[in-house]
Amino acid sequence: SVKDIESLTNTPILGEVARHKGKEFVVVSLNNTNPIVEMFRLIRVNLQFVASGKQNKVILITSSISGEGKSFFSINFAASLVLPGKRVVVLGMDLRKPTLAKNSKIPDELGITNFLVSDTLSVSDILKPSNLVPNLFIVGSGPISPSPTELMMSSRMGVLIETLRSSFDYVIIVSAPIGLVADAFTLAPYIDSTIYLVRRNYTPKERLELIDKIYKEKRLRYPMIVFNDTLIAKGHNYGYG
């Protein structure tokens, strides 16, 4: 519960996302007033308050373990950022178990790993428009790398992020689970803030110790928690579970 999170870490809670029971991957759209859509809009508004007076263009999305909803959250969060007319790109930076391109229904033959090992590929070569959300672009992970951490420390990573930073209003990076591998920490120099997903009835409570350590030691910039898969109170169009 939210009280559990608050008792185990001082990391601020950015917002909540209700359980999604439908089969569609993208739920956020312009005229949709579904409670889960309003929750994404509220997270967007809260993020603007948090970032007041500071640049907040490159946002890292991570979690403790697999299955906490990073791909679903990232695409719908990006869709909520697109609604006011912004240009947004989502990067599938989980180079070990990539799922973003598949879930977004785009080909992933050419992606981040190809760019990082090549001196000839340009960012535009791996940038693909989303088939699900207008003005949203996707950069897939590409082929699975045998040494993703070392690959992500390449100078080409800085070229990729800074090129996208200059071309888009927001750059959303979906990383591997931070509780399992160190990949996300290699991205720390490039990001402006961090959204850490915690899933109700799924994330082990002891993992919040890691979140709290990251927050206290400032290992990632401005970490904030989103509580995923919460329940909406019965009899209400919108509420807290």
Side-chain angles (χ1 to χ4, degrees):
S1 69
V2 170
K3 288 184 179 180
D4 290 327
I5 297 173
E6 291 174 339
S7 68
L8 294 167
T9 177
N10 291 318
T11 311
I13 300 175
L14 184 64
E16 300 179 44
V17 175
R19 170 176 291 184
H20 174 53
K21 297 180 180 179
K23 294 182 179 180
E24 65 273 22
F25 186 63
V26 178
V27 297
V28 175
S29 59
L30 185 60
N31 298 314
N32 192 339
T33 57
N34 186 288
I36 190 173
V37 179
E38 295 301 323
M39 287 177 154
F40 275 105
R41 289 193 175 107
L42 182 58
I43 289 171
R44 182 189 68 201
V45 171
N46 288 346
L47 190 69
Q48 292 171 343
F49 278 109
V50 169
S52 180
K54 302 184 291 289
Q55 188 180 60
N56 194 20
K57 295 187 70 172
V58 182
I59 304 169
L60 177 71
I61 311 293
T62 191
S63 69
S64 300
I65 56 179
S66 298
E68 287 167 304
K70 290 186 295 298
S71 292
F72 175 79
F73 173 81
S74 299
I75 291 296
N76 284 281
F77 175 58
S80 74
L81 295 172
V82 166
L83 291 181
K86 303 296 185 181
R87 277 170 50 87
V88 182
V89 60
V90 181
L91 279 67
M93 205 65 77
D94 187 343
L95 306 185
R96 299 172 187 268
K97 295 177 64 176
T99 60
L100 181 69
K102 179 181 178 181
N103 290 333
S104 302
K105 298 181 179 180
I106 63 168
D108 200 22
E109 291 83 10
L110 202 64
I112 292 169
T113 53
N114 303 96
F115 180 85
L116 295 179
V117 299
S118 171
D119 292 326
T120 58
L121 278 179
S122 67
V123 174
S124 60
D125 291 329
I126 61 173
L127 189 65
K128 303 177 181 71
S130 167
N131 297 320
L132 304 174
V133 182
N135 293 322
L136 176 62
F137 291 80
I138 307 291
V139 178
S141 303
I144 295 176
S145 167
S147 54
T149 304
E150 290 74 16
L151 192 59
M152 291 168 67
M153 296 174 67
S154 161
S155 60
R156 291 277 285 173
M157 180 61 74
V159 173
L160 174 62
I161 302 299
E162 293 309 314
T163 301
L164 294 173
R165 182 192 284 270
S166 64
S167 303
F168 288 86
D169 296 298
Y170 291 99
V171 179
I172 309 299
I173 301 176
V174 189
S175 83
I178 210 166
L180 302 177
V181 293
D183 296 359
F185 292 114
T186 67
L187 300 168
Y190 309 113
I191 65 174
D192 298 317
S193 64
T194 307
I195 293 177
Y196 203 112
L197 286 184
V198 173
R199 184 175 176 182
R200 183 193 63 84
N201 205 30
Y202 187 90
T203 304
K205 288 183 181 179
E206 59 266 21
R207 294 289 182 175
L208 291 175
E209 296 178 5
L210 173 61
I211 301 173
D212 197 52
K213 185 175 181 179
I214 291 170
Y215 177 72
K216 289 177 178 178
E217 297 179 356
K218 300 180 180 180
R219 298 183 67 186
L220 293 170
R221 290 179 62 83
Y222 299 109
M224 298 161 284
I225 289 173
V226 166
F227 194 29
N228 192 25
D229 202 25
T230 62
L231 299 176
I232 297 176
K234 293 181 179 180
H236 297 277
N237 290 328
Y238 177 81
Y240 294 97

